[in-house]
Amino acid sequence: MPGLSVIAEGWLLKISGRTDGDRVYWLVVGLAALALFVLPFGTGVFLPLAMLSLGGLALMVVRWRQLWCESWTRWALLLLMALWLPQLLALTVAVDFDRALRTALTYPLFAVAILPLLWVARHRDVATPLLYGVLALAVFWSLDGIFQFVTGANVLGYPYNGRRIDGLFHPNMRLGIVLAHFLPFVLEASRRLASFNRLAVLLPLIVIVAILLSGSRAAMVATLIVLFAYGLFLVGYYRLRMRTVSAFLSIFVLGIVVALWVSPETRDRLAVVSKASELSIEAIDEATAKRGTIWLASWRVAMDEPILGVGVRGVEPVAEARGYTDMAFAHIHLYFLDVLVSTGIVGLVAYLGVLLAILLALWQRARRSERDLLPLYVVGGVAIFVALNPVNVHWTIYSSYTTAVLWLVVALALAPLVRGEAAARQGRPAGQRPVSVS
């Protein structure tokens, strides 16, 4: 494609120091913003990420030493290897070799796509425009979904199905999960805006209401994790008095109560979850939309092939052939089990090990950081944990769309840290603009 070749050539010229820094900055930020903008439209997100991948590949060829020397870029690359190398090993035993090979060949491109953003972040503030962009998009997607709930159709005419809103993500039920993944950035952007206008603290409430109306229980759990962790941070960071904390809690609880009151479908979906306490497969199936049966069958396959698994996308035919289930399914909907059955103990240890190592590194840096950098570590840690939480029960960790969302989250989490630490080393504020990005 001519357009892609032009992007690759431009990147190679920039890396050699022969193009203008402003053009590269806006190219990278623009492509990242475009990827976020087209998330509701499914595979549309792959085009801007493909363009960024070309730049990332060029960087890996020409500037790989500098990439590896930057600590947070190195962590991103280690995370890629932890999720990707076990896939390559599992190809030797893959049941569905063609699908496993396609996944293994394309998977690293999503991670490579974030390298230009982290590279530019060494010298320029890429986080601020993207944070505010995420806030604007999340609020718009949420208002669109709420409008769909109230009127029966969203701004593009997509109908409300009477159970769960999907807004611009129609017909896919991805709205709640995507919003939950980006909620840490919504909260941080709102915190920054609140220094200019205190009403900005109410913007996350719009997003939370949309998550509730989306009916995704997995998204609701992720939202609770984000609100609890970020709320604790805010209380300590601003030394908030109990009266202030109570006022904020009252506003958010009131919004949640109203959302549940106007949506009996959401109330019913939450009520079903209580049946899981009966600890039977039937009860767990009812509480998790038949996932209990899928988990049991997948666990039995994993115990049969514990070292390298059965390869990515191979569990369903094996479970059916061995009589573990007669129900067709596309995804396991449980991240750690998905990794275990697909890439075995090798993949699970790598995945959990690097995730814990990144979170520990964030914790240690946060304890030693300056006050103005602390929010960056908190938001980054919360966002990465929510995106890679081993007990996530939505999607599959190996699907293309999940991978696109995951690495966009990682990029937004790490880019401010790259920038903040680089600025701290050079003794200037994190938002100050340097002369060049070469």
Side-chain angles (χ1 to χ4, degrees):
M1 295 176 63
L4 296 183
S5 64
V6 169
I7 294 294
E9 181 181 358
W11 266 110
L12 288 169
L13 287 172
K14 171 63 197 92
I15 291 166
S16 302
R18 297 196 296 271
T19 61
D20 179 67
D22 281 343
R23 290 172 57 192
V24 173
Y25 172 80
W26 288 114
L27 175 63
V28 170
V29 171
L31 287 174
L34 178 61
L36 293 167
F37 179 79
V38 297
L39 275 175
F41 310 112
T43 56
V45 70
F46 299 153
L47 180 58
L49 290 180
M51 295 179 178
L52 285 169
S53 293
L54 290 173
L57 291 171
L59 280 169
M60 292 185 71
V61 171
V62 180
R63 295 293 179 94
W64 66 272
R65 290 183 185 274
Q66 292 95 320
L67 288 173
W68 189 255
C69 288
E70 168 55 54
S71 63
W72 295 113
T73 305
R74 184 166 64 249
W75 276 118
L77 293 172
L78 287 171
L79 177 60
L80 166 62
M81 288 187 280
L83 293 171
W84 180 49
L85 293 182
Q87 294 182 44
L88 298 180
L89 290 174
L91 286 175
T92 60
V93 294
V95 172
D96 192 337
F97 181 81
D98 290 342
R99 295 187 70 187
L101 179 62
R102 287 198 299 271
T103 301
L105 290 176
T106 57
Y107 190 90
L109 296 177
F110 293 96
V112 170
I114 78 170
L115 294 181
L117 201 66
L118 300 184
W119 178 263
V120 173
R122 292 160 59 248
H123 297 287
R124 294 285 292 272
D125 179 18
V126 300
T128 299
L130 291 178
L131 268 180
Y132 291 139
V134 167
L135 174 63
L137 287 172
V139 170
F140 176 71
W141 294 338
S142 300
L143 289 173
D144 177 71
I146 295 171
F147 182 76
Q148 183 186 49
F149 175 81
V150 173
T151 67
N154 81 330
V155 295
L156 295 182
Y158 298 151
Y160 173 51
N161 62 17
R163 294 175 293 108
R164 303 172 59 184
I165 63 171
D166 52 17
L168 290 172
F169 291 79
H170 181 84
N172 298 302
M173 294 296 170
R174 294 170 173 165
L175 174 63
I177 292 296
V178 171
L179 289 175
H181 274 72
F182 290 104
L183 184 59
F185 309 115
V186 169
L187 293 171
E188 175 60 12
S190 299
R191 183 190 72 84
R192 296 186 184 192
L193 278 179
S195 62
F196 305 102
N197 188 332
R198 292 187 178 182
L199 290 177
V201 299
L202 298 178
L203 293 176
L205 183 58
I206 299 172
V207 178
I208 294 168
V209 169
I211 291 172
L212 286 170
L213 296 178
S214 76
S216 171
R217 289 163 290 196
M220 295 178 204
V221 171
T223 298
L224 286 176
I225 293 172
V226 172
L227 292 177
F228 178 77
Y230 195 79
L232 283 180
F233 156 70
L234 289 181
V235 171
Y237 189 72
Y238 289 110
R239 295 181 174 86
L240 298 178
R241 290 178 294 181
M242 185 56 64
R243 183 174 61 184
T244 304
V245 174
S246 300
F248 277 117
L249 285 176
S250 298
I251 293 172
F252 278 97
V253 169
L254 179 62
I256 291 170
V257 169
V258 170
L260 294 176
W261 177 66
V262 300
S263 177
E265 297 82 13
T266 302
R267 293 201 306 272
D268 292 343
R269 288 179 64 81
L270 289 176
V272 170
V273 175
S274 63
K275 295 184 178 294
S277 61
E278 298 177 17
L279 298 180
S280 66
I281 291 298
E282 293 77 12
I284 294 175
D285 269 347
E286 187 172 356
T288 61
K290 297 293 183 181
R291 289 173 188 171
T293 297
I294 296 173
W295 294 342
L296 179 60
S298 300
W299 176 258
R300 295 176 70 179
V301 173
M303 293 302 96
D304 290 344
E305 313 289 346
I307 306 301
L308 294 178
V310 295
V312 176
R313 309 298 180 92
V315 61
E316 193 265 343
V318 173
E320 184 177 1
R322 295 178 183 176
Y324 296 155
T325 181
D326 56 1
M327 182 178 69
F329 59 92
H331 306 309
I332 296 176
H333 296 285
L334 187 58
Y335 275 19
F336 87 87
L337 186 55
D338 199 359
V339 173
L340 178 62
V341 77
S342 300
T343 59
I345 294 173
V346 172
L348 184 62
V349 169
Y351 159 50
L352 295 180
V354 172
L355 174 59
L356 289 174
I358 291 176
L359 295 176
L360 180 60
L362 286 164
W363 170 257
Q364 291 175 338
R365 299 281 185 92
R367 293 179 62 185
R368 302 194 302 265
S369 71
E370 301 291 336
R371 177 180 169 82
D372 60 337
L373 292 181
L374 184 58
L376 305 182
Y377 293 103
V378 173
V379 172
V382 173
I384 289 174
F385 175 75
V386 167
L388 285 165
N389 182 4
V391 295
N392 278 344
V393 295
H394 52 270
W395 302 342
T396 169
I397 200 168
Y398 298 114
S399 79
S400 297
Y401 190 84
T402 306
T403 306
V405 173
L406 164 64
W407 286 103
L408 284 171
V409 168
V410 172
L412 288 170
L414 296 185
L417 301 180
V418 173
R419 174 70 191 128
E421 293 190 2
R425 287 194 299 267
Q426 298 169 19
R428 64 171 182 269
Q432 182 175 326
R433 175 178 171 177
V435 176
S436 101
V437 297
S438 61

